[in-house]
């Protein structure tokens, strides 16, 4: 019965104002994250190793491929959360982008231009030249501060690992101050066990950002999103960030990960070498969690999900059942990304 009641409430909410059965009005906003799978332009940047990107390795009409990929990514973003809000995400973190220009092309594409997305982006020291960024609908979210943090990760030989920076953006979602940390942690290159300490160090940098925010603000509302290259049960998230997977375990100031229960039920956001993983997640601190009290006087997470519509899944070939990727063995497949987007609804009574 509880689940039915929640579903009825969500269905009663619309993009601007929603009229509940008892005359209550609600706002609902979508927050999302999407790994865009090697969104590189067709211009050789001599300061980066962008020659190793799939589109630069291709022979043929790179421009056609680039603009087709832009259009396909815009199609996906335009649909995330639309069934409940009648618009695309108010806030969406992205990863695997080469530079600001590709983001400008994305937000100015036909399917997204009317949303007037703002862009927050920093160049990362990643060897391949890929970055993270935040896109936001300017009518809903007003940034007041942003900065980039280098996780300063070194491997077991004492060599610096040139990976992605972690992006912190603070701003007002309507009239509420929230903080968003966008991540793309080190890959599992060399194996999960061997590379595990690198992601644990990345998690430690996230923990320091969270603690910094707590020093400045009492019980801040923080969203931690990204491609973590770890599942919800791995040590980086469970032991370092100490993310809780059950609502009843969450105390004030704790971090809740709604994707842990999804992972244990078999849900995923990517597949690689016959392994199914849920690397893409959105975690958040306790002030954004409703623990059954149905108190929506301020924004609370109403539902977390994976955007895995049928058209985003490969229906045939060696990648059947996996996300319909853009590139494979040096060719353009016409897909979207090798990751599914993840998203959640924040709901608030007016």
């Amino acid at each position: 019965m509880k689940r039915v009641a929640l579903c009825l409430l969500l269905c009663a909410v619309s993009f601007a104002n929603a009229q509940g059965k008892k005359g209550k009005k609600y706002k609902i906003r979508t927050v999302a994250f999407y790994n865009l799978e090697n969104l590189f332009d067709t211009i050789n940047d001599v300061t980066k190793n962008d020659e190793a990107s799939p589109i630069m390795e291709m022979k043929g009409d790179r421009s056609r491929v680039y603009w087709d990929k832009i259009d396909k990514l815009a199609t996906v973003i335009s649909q995330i959360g639309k069934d409940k809000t009648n618009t695309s995400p108010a806030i969406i973190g992205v990863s695997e982008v080469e530079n600001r220009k590709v983001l400008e092309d994305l937000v100015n594409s036909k399917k997204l231009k009317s949303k007037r997305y703002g862009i927050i982006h920093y160049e990362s020291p990643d060897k391949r030249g890929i970055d993270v960024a935040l896109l936001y609908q300017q009518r809903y979210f007003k940034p007041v501060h942003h900065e980039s943090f280098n996780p300063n990760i070194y491997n077991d030989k004492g060599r610096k690992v040139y990976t992605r920076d972690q992006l912190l953006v603070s701003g007002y979602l309507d009239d509420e101050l929230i903080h968003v940390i966008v991540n793309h942690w080190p890959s599992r290159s060399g194996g999960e066990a061997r590379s595990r300490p690198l992601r644990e160090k990345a998690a430690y940098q996230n923990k320091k950002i969270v603690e910094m925010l707590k020093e400045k603000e009492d019980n801040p509302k923080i969203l931690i999103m990204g491609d973590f290259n770890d599942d919800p049960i791995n040590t980086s998230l469970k032991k370092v960030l100490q993310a809780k997977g059950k609502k009843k375990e969450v105390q004030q100031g704790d971090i809740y990960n709604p994707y842990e229960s999804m992972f244990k039920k078999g849900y995923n956001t990517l597949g690689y070498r016959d392994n199914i993983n849920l690397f893409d997640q959105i975690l958040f601190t306790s002030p954004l969690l409703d623990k059954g009290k149905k108190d929506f006087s301020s924004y609370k997470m109403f539902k977390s999900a994976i955007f895995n519509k049928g058209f985003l899944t490969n229906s045939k070939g060696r990648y059947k059942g996996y996300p319909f990727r853009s590139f494979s063995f040096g060719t353009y497949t016409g897909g979207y990304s090798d990751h599914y987007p993840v998203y959640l609804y924040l709901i608030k009574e007016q």
Side-chain angles (χ1 to χ4, degrees):
M1 289 299 293
K2 185 176 181 180
R3 180 177 295 178
V4 171
L6 289 176
C7 290
L8 289 173
L9 177 58
L10 184 56
C11 290
V13 180
S14 67
F15 154 63
N17 297 326
Q19 190 76 29
K21 284 189 173 183
K22 297 181 179 179
K24 293 183 178 180
K25 294 181 179 180
Y26 299 87
K27 287 181 181 178
I28 183 168
R29 304 289 182 237
T30 307
V31 176
F33 173 81
Y34 196 11
N35 180 319
L36 303 182
E37 192 201 350
N38 291 300
L39 181 56
F40 279 72
D41 61 28
T42 61
I43 302 167
N44 181 24
D45 185 340
V46 296
T47 67
K48 302 176 180 178
N49 186 27
D50 60 350
E51 297 91 344
S53 67
I55 197 167
M56 294 298 287
E57 292 178 338
M58 289 179 54
K59 296 179 180 180
D61 191 352
R62 295 174 181 167
S63 180
R64 179 195 64 80
V65 168
Y66 174 74
W67 289 109
D68 188 63
K69 181 170 173 64
I70 287 285
D71 181 69
K72 282 186 163 64
L73 292 174
T75 297
V76 178
I77 292 171
S78 70
Q79 294 185 29
I80 300 172
K82 186 177 180 179
D83 56 341
K84 296 295 186 290
T85 66
N86 199 32
T87 189
S88 53
I91 298 170
I92 178 166
V94 294
S95 68
E96 287 202 16
V97 298
E98 182 184 8
N99 51 40
R100 184 180 179 89
K101 182 60 170 62
V102 299
L103 293 167
E104 291 173 347
D105 289 342
L106 179 62
V107 301
N108 288 318
S109 61
K110 180 173 61 177
K111 294 183 177 68
L112 294 180
K113 189 172 184 178
S114 65
K115 311 305 181 187
R116 295 185 63 247
Y117 273 105
I119 300 169
I120 297 176
H121 165 265
Y122 290 79
E123 288 287 340
S124 283
D126 178 82
K127 280 189 174 182
R128 290 205 298 129
I130 57 174
D131 312 323
V132 299
L134 190 81
L135 311 178
Y136 59 95
Q137 288 203 49
Q138 298 177 64
R139 55 181 166 171
Y140 303 129
F141 184 68
K142 310 294 182 186
V144 294
H145 176 78
H146 52 83
E147 61 183 303
S148 184
F149 294 84
N150 189 309
N152 290 315
I153 297 173
Y154 292 81
N155 62 21
D156 55 3
K157 295 181 180 179
R159 296 174 182 170
K160 187 174 178 63
V161 176
Y162 291 94
T163 187
R164 281 70 62 177
D165 284 347
Q166 298 175 4
L167 175 62
L168 167 66
V169 180
S170 301
Y172 286 89
L173 180 62
D174 298 309
D175 59 348
E176 290 190 25
L177 180 62
I178 67 167
H179 311 274
V180 184
I181 308 172
V182 188
N183 299 272
H184 187 186
W185 291 357
S187 75
R188 293 189 169 192
S189 177
E192 187 278 326
R194 183 176 179 182
S195 60
R196 185 184 306 154
L198 305 182
R199 289 182 298 281
E200 291 176 343
K201 291 171 183 176
Y204 182 67
Q205 175 63 70
N206 258 225
K207 189 172 183 177
K208 289 197 294 184
I209 297 172
V210 170
E211 293 305 315
M212 177 192 73
L213 292 171
K214 287 181 177 180
E215 289 176 2
K216 297 179 179 179
E217 181 184 348
D218 183 38
N219 211 16
K221 298 175 180 177
I222 307 171
L223 292 148
I224 303 170
M225 61 173 63
D227 173 359
F228 298 102
N229 275 303
D230 263 342
D231 291 315
I233 60 171
N234 289 130
T235 55
S236 59
L237 295 161
K238 292 300 292 181
K239 292 187 177 180
V240 180
L241 277 183
Q242 298 180 318
K244 304 294 194 302
K246 296 180 180 179
K247 289 184 178 182
K248 64 181 181 180
E249 296 176 348
V250 178
Q251 303 299 318
Q252 181 171 313
D254 284 347
I255 296 170
Y256 174 62
N257 188 356
Y259 290 87
E260 183 175 332
S261 61
M262 293 187 214
F263 176 71
K264 291 177 178 178
K265 292 176 182 176
Y267 289 91
N268 66 86
T269 58
L270 75 156
Y272 181 67
R273 293 180 178 176
D274 296 326
N275 291 320
I276 298 299
N277 297 102
L278 207 166
F279 288 170
D280 307 86
Q281 303 156 53
I282 304 176
L283 299 72
F284 52 88
T285 51
S286 59
L288 290 166
L289 178 65
D290 173 63
K291 298 182 70 173
K293 296 180 180 179
K294 299 182 182 179
D295 176 12
F296 296 101
S297 57
S298 63
Y299 274 122
K300 298 285 195 306
M301 187 277 292
F302 190 81
K303 176 184 178 182
S304 296
I306 300 167
F307 191 77
N308 54 1
K309 300 291 186 181
F311 71 93
L312 290 176
T313 302
N314 207 316
S315 60
K316 58 185 178 180
R318 65 179 297 165
Y319 298 116
K320 182 178 180 180
Y322 289 2
F324 188 9
R325 60 193 301 142
S326 298
F327 303 101
S328 177
F329 295 98
T331 61
Y332 181 60
T333 64
Y336 301 82
S337 172
D338 54 353
H339 290 243
Y340 292 130
V342 291
Y343 68 104
L344 56 80
Y345 293 120
L346 295 177
I347 189 172
K348 176 182 179 179
E349 183 180 337
Q350 293 195 134

